[in-house]
Amino acid sequence: QVQLVESGGGLVQSGGSLRLACAASGRTYERGAMGWFRQAPGKEREFVAAIAWSGRNPIYARFVQGRFRIFRDSAKNVVYLQMNSLKSEDTAAYYCVANQGPMTTTSRDADYWGQGIQVTVSS
């Protein structure tokens, strides 16, 4: 089992930045990955970014367009999502996930989920 706790969400103006953090505890999966999904009201859940458990090989959804960066602090077992140049369409609940195996940009699910954290971008 893996427990995931997100932090760092909130309200920000368009063009601003936020950093989400996800603290993981429990089992580790050396061949697995951690990442982020998001879901806006009335929309389907979508993949945002993921990184291998080793902290290597970050991948991003196309809509990120170089604005977000995912990275991992292995010592603290925390994964971060640095979000810059935020747009109103980035408003969503963001979910940290952990997967026992690799993730791809077409991933639609994961083995473990956090509770989710709200990000609201005002225009």
Side-chain angles (χ1 to χ4, degrees):
Q1 290 290 326
V2 178
Q3 293 77 43
L4 304 169
V5 179
E6 302 105 331
S7 61
L11 175 64
V12 64
Q13 290 188 334
S14 180
S17 298
L18 278 177
R19 177 177 290 187
L20 304 183
C22 175
S25 60
R27 284 197 64 178
T28 58
Y29 297 94
E30 293 185 359
R31 297 183 179 183
M34 294 184 67
W36 296 87
F37 281 76
R38 72 184 188 183
Q39 187 167 21
K43 294 188 177 181
E44 292 187 354
R45 184 175 66 198
E46 59 183 354
F47 171 86
V48 178
I51 192 166
W53 210 280
S54 64
R56 299 176 179 176
N57 304 324
I59 56 173
Y60 302 93
R62 186 170 296 180
F63 63 76
V64 168
Q65 296 175 327
R67 300 181 297 126
F68 297 178
R69 184 170 75 96
I70 186 170
F71 57 101
R72 185 168 185 265
D73 184 333
S74 297
K76 297 180 180 179
N77 210 13
V78 176
V79 171
Y80 299 93
L81 184 67
Q82 176 67 41
M83 303 185 294
N84 301 323
S85 302
L86 283 163
K87 307 174 183 179
S88 57
E89 51 262 46
D90 293 318
T91 295
Y94 283 72
Y95 296 88
C96 177
V97 300
N99 206 50
Q100 297 181 28
M103 295 180 69
T104 70
T105 57
T106 57
S107 292
R108 299 184 65 82
D109 204 348
D111 295 313
Y112 304 99
W113 290 75
Q115 292 294 316
I117 193 164
Q118 182 66 35
V119 170
T120 302
V121 184
S122 63
S123 56

